[in-house]
Amino acid sequence: MKKKIHLSNLIIYFLCCLSLLLSFYFNEDGSYLPFSMDFKDTWPYVLKLKESFLSDPYPYTVHYPLHYYLLSRLDLIFNDPLIVRLFICFISMIVPYIFFVALKEKYKNKNINILFIICLSIFFIPAFRYSSVWANDRITTDIFILLGCYFFFKYQFLRIKNVKYLYISFLLFALACYSRQFYAAYYALFIIYIFRNDSLKNFINLSIYSVTLSLPGFYLLYKFPYFLEGIGYSGNIFNTLLGNVSSLFVYILPVVIINFLFQDRNIFKIKRILIYSLISIIIFIISYLAHDVGKMGMNGGVFFILSNKIFGNYILFYLIFIINFIFILQIFDNYKDRFIIFSFVFIFCSIIVPQSVFEPLIFLYFFLFAESKFKNIFLENKRASFALLIYYITYCLVAITDIAHKVKLY
């Protein structure tokens, strides 16, 4: 087992950091400039927060104010939004390293250079890059989430349990929720773990602690209902299911392909695939009959757009839903994992659900918490971890070139 990070890997990390600065220089952004527009739209709210933490978020954002409050403190120092953005860009460079530290804490018996290669993929997840460039709240949230995971693993894998690590972990996850309230879904991971594996006393104490941490959030929601009312719900759960499951195909596909190419043993069981195929087709038929394609809006992800542009219909979109539903059932064969994955699917239920909302959420969950046997190849095989890095570099280039929105209409 390797105990030190290779110099070559550190050099790659340094080059990845330089690539973020290059993205900053060119003001890199996604299709239709969502991150730069979000920064411009929310900056007036940042300026208002310089005066009071309880400034009204309407009509600037539906996200809780912690991230924007931190930006307002930075602006008090720099008094220049460009320098604030650059500062956050530098801070974002440590996110992949914090991810590596959390991985190392969990997988103590694994080659740390393989873990380090996995963490490099974060640099090339498009939403992470755009967030780094435009001081998006994803950066703040990811830092709190990953630090929370680190302290959780310190508690989980210590021979003599120290409950203070759990309290620190819960606090960090609460701070993440006060930047992006959608991440409250992560709380289920901890509550389920404590309920199943710890003492009743700890479960009760931490539940009370969690409720206490949530009180400011309920107060903010009471004072500013826009945090809830401003979210444009799709109004159709089947639109959400079809759109979000199809969007997840981007992140599930490399797991399937790399396992198929590098696994020495066959972990794809034909009998299970046939059963999952039947389940997926039944779910699709119900969803197809109940969904409203005319109100999908931007709820279908990149494949909804491509299917219509290339073929003039949504057959490709529907086909990818069926395929990815099979993949999800195959990869996440643990019921706890399925519960969490579909929690992510349904928690993003607005009319507009861009591809970026799942980045790097699904990536982090898969490597930090999923019990899937499909994860093992990345932790044990250096070529597989490099293949994953190459996939995300390719995905990043496709996203930056905006190919999906430049193809000709049918």
Side-chain angles (χ1 to χ4, degrees):
M1 182 178 64
K2 300 293 183 181
K3 293 292 186 180
K4 292 183 179 180
I5 301 173
H6 291 156
L7 177 60
S8 59
N9 287 340
L10 292 175
I11 292 173
I12 295 173
Y13 194 100
F14 176 72
L15 293 175
C16 290
C17 290
L18 288 181
S19 75
L20 280 187
L21 291 178
L22 189 63
S23 294
F24 183 90
Y25 177 79
F26 286 107
N27 286 326
E28 190 176 289
D29 200 354
S31 303
Y32 304 114
L33 307 180
F35 288 80
S36 58
M37 291 300 296
D38 181 73
F39 180 80
K40 293 171 184 175
D41 290 343
T42 56
W43 189 252
Y45 182 49
V46 172
L47 297 180
K48 289 177 65 176
L49 288 169
K50 292 169 74 171
E51 302 171 6
S52 171
F53 184 77
L54 293 177
S55 295
D56 192 344
Y58 179 82
Y60 309 110
T61 182
V62 295
H63 293 168
Y64 270 27
L66 180 57
H67 169 77
Y68 302 112
Y69 180 77
L70 295 175
L71 292 187
S72 73
R73 300 307 93 185
L74 290 174
D75 195 54
L76 283 173
I77 299 172
F78 301 120
N79 198 31
D80 186 337
L82 182 65
I83 298 178
V84 171
R85 283 177 50 211
L86 183 60
F87 183 87
I88 295 298
C89 187
F90 277 108
I91 292 296
S92 70
M93 295 175 185
I94 69 171
V95 171
Y97 186 78
I98 300 174
F99 179 49
F100 164 70
V101 171
L103 285 174
K104 190 172 64 168
E105 187 65 31
K106 178 165 186 175
Y107 305 109
K108 293 180 181 293
N109 62 337
K110 300 297 183 182
N111 186 318
I112 66 169
N113 281 285
I114 292 179
L115 300 181
F116 196 80
I117 294 168
I118 292 172
C119 89
L120 294 176
S121 294
I122 292 282
F123 278 107
F124 300 99
I125 295 177
F128 172 77
R129 296 185 70 84
Y130 306 151
S131 298
S132 303
V133 171
W134 292 103
N136 192 267
D137 53 6
R138 282 176 176 82
I139 299 301
T140 304
T141 305
D142 289 343
I143 289 174
F144 287 138
I145 288 288
L146 290 171
L147 288 175
C149 292
Y150 169 74
F151 283 104
F152 176 73
F153 295 143
K154 281 190 73 69
Y155 170 81
Q156 188 179 24
F157 298 116
L158 278 176
R159 185 170 299 175
I160 301 176
K161 303 293 186 183
N162 189 336
V163 75
K164 74 176 183 181
Y165 292 128
L166 270 184
Y167 283 90
I168 294 172
S169 178
F170 272 54
L171 174 61
L172 289 164
F173 270 85
L175 292 175
C177 294
Y178 283 116
S179 289
R180 288 178 72 86
Q181 58 266 43
F182 303 116
Y183 278 74
Y186 255 108
Y187 255 100
L189 288 171
F190 295 94
I191 296 298
I192 290 172
Y193 175 83
I194 299 303
F195 180 75
R196 293 175 59 185
N197 300 286
D198 218 313
S199 66
L200 179 62
K201 178 182 176 181
N202 267 353
F203 175 72
I204 294 173
N205 288 341
L206 286 163
S207 296
I208 295 172
Y209 180 61
S210 297
V211 171
T212 304
L213 291 174
S214 70
L215 292 178
F218 285 114
Y219 175 74
L220 286 171
L221 190 59
Y222 168 77
K223 187 173 179 63
F224 305 114
Y226 184 68
F227 283 128
L228 183 63
E229 294 171 355
I231 302 173
Y233 293 101
S234 68
N236 189 318
I237 193 173
F238 297 100
N239 280 15
T240 297
L241 179 64
L242 287 168
N244 291 352
V245 168
S246 299
S247 294
L248 291 181
F249 185 70
V250 173
Y251 321 108
I252 301 298
L253 181 62
V255 176
V256 174
I257 292 176
I258 292 172
N259 269 276
F260 180 79
L261 293 177
F262 292 96
Q263 278 283 9
D264 294 329
R265 58 190 183 279
N266 182 19
I267 61 174
F268 295 93
K269 305 299 182 184
I270 299 299
K271 183 178 179 180
R272 283 192 175 186
I273 291 175
L274 291 174
I275 294 172
Y276 295 153
S277 297
L278 179 60
I279 294 172
S280 300
I281 290 171
I282 293 172
I283 296 293
F284 168 72
I285 292 172
I286 296 171
S287 301
Y288 180 80
L289 294 174
H291 88 302
D292 184 353
V293 71
K295 294 183 179 179
M296 287 290 291
M298 295 182 65
N299 187 232
V302 65
F303 299 108
F304 182 78
I305 297 169
L306 282 176
S307 183
N308 186 40
K309 282 193 170 187
I310 296 174
F311 301 107
N313 56 54
Y314 298 107
I315 293 176
L316 175 64
F317 169 70
Y318 296 137
L319 183 61
I320 285 177
F321 168 82
I322 296 171
I323 293 172
N324 203 42
F325 206 98
I326 296 169
F327 286 166
I328 289 173
L329 295 179
Q330 177 76 11
I331 292 172
F332 301 101
D333 56 357
N334 177 283
Y335 286 105
K336 185 197 74 174
D337 286 342
R338 289 176 182 170
F339 171 78
I340 297 297
I341 290 297
F342 284 105
S343 295
F344 292 153
V345 166
F346 289 111
I347 199 170
F348 299 110
C349 55
S350 60
I351 295 173
I352 299 177
V353 183
Q355 193 81 37
S356 61
V357 299
F358 298 106
E359 299 177 357
L361 179 63
I362 298 299
F363 187 91
L364 298 182
Y365 176 76
F366 179 72
F367 283 105
L368 292 174
F369 291 105
E371 298 178 11
S372 172
K373 57 182 176 291
F374 285 79
K375 179 172 58 176
N376 296 335
I377 191 68
F378 301 102
L379 303 174
E380 300 166 357
N381 189 316
K382 187 176 181 180
R383 293 186 304 152
S385 59
F386 262 118
L388 185 69
L389 176 60
I390 292 170
Y391 173 86
Y392 275 101
I393 291 174
T394 305
Y395 171 41
C396 183
L397 292 174
V398 170
I400 291 172
T401 54
D402 209 15
I403 291 175
H405 291 273
K406 290 179 180 178
V407 296
K408 294 182 179 180
L409 292 172
Y410 173 78

